Amino acid sequence: QVQLVESGGGLVQAGGSLRLSCAASGRTFSSYGMGWFRQAPGKEREFVAATFWSGGRTYYAESVKGRFTISRDNAKNTVYLQMNSLKPEDTALYYCASRSAGGLGLSSYDYNYWGQGTQVTVSS
């Protein structure tokens, strides 16, 4: 299996920035792509961004386009989510996830493994 550990969450003021990291270990060779999702209290889990270990093509939710950037460092088996211009509505528990199959990875159902999440809180 693939183990995922997120880090980098915290409390920031609106307009600030954070960089989340997701370190993958275990059978990382079986991971085709990575994604970031978030879930706010009382809300459904929401797609944020996705990328691929090979090629690095990226996809974003409309709500974060232009503000968030997903990237990966293959040598470190680590995926990042750079979050700029943060808004209070970005407050959520952020999860990284790994999928072993193809596709765009825009649905949570596409993913096989999940981290435990890292909290991002944006104050006004």
Side-chain angles (χ1 to χ4, degrees):
Q1 62 177 327
V2 177
Q3 294 81 45
L4 305 172
V5 179
E6 303 99 333
S7 62
L11 174 64
V12 298
Q13 194 172 33
S17 298
L18 282 174
R19 189 182 73 162
L20 306 184
S21 298
C22 176
S25 61
R27 298 179 62 194
T28 56
F29 57 85
S30 69
S31 179
Y32 174 75
M34 300 290 291
W36 286 97
F37 291 77
R38 65 188 183 186
Q39 188 166 23
K43 303 295 183 181
E44 296 294 322
R45 188 167 297 186
E46 175 188 25
F47 168 76
V48 176
T51 191
F52 306 89
W53 292 111
S54 180
R57 188 169 184 177
T58 58
Y59 297 90
Y60 297 94
E62 290 295 327
S63 60
V64 306
K65 280 184 179 178
R67 299 189 298 122
F68 291 10
T69 303
I70 187 171
S71 61
R72 82 275 192 269
D73 185 333
N74 290 29
K76 295 182 178 180
N77 290 318
T78 301
V79 175
Y80 305 94
L81 184 68
Q82 178 66 46
M83 305 184 294
N84 298 326
S85 301
L86 283 162
K87 306 174 181 179
E89 50 263 47
D90 294 319
T91 295
L93 186 64
Y94 283 71
Y95 298 91
C96 70
S98 172
R99 64 183 186 276
S100 57
L104 300 182
L106 307 184
S107 170
S108 62
Y109 295 103
D110 295 333
Y111 293 83
N112 309 100
Y113 302 102
W114 295 81
Q116 65 179 358
T118 185
Q119 179 67 40
V120 172
T121 302
V122 184
S123 65
S124 59

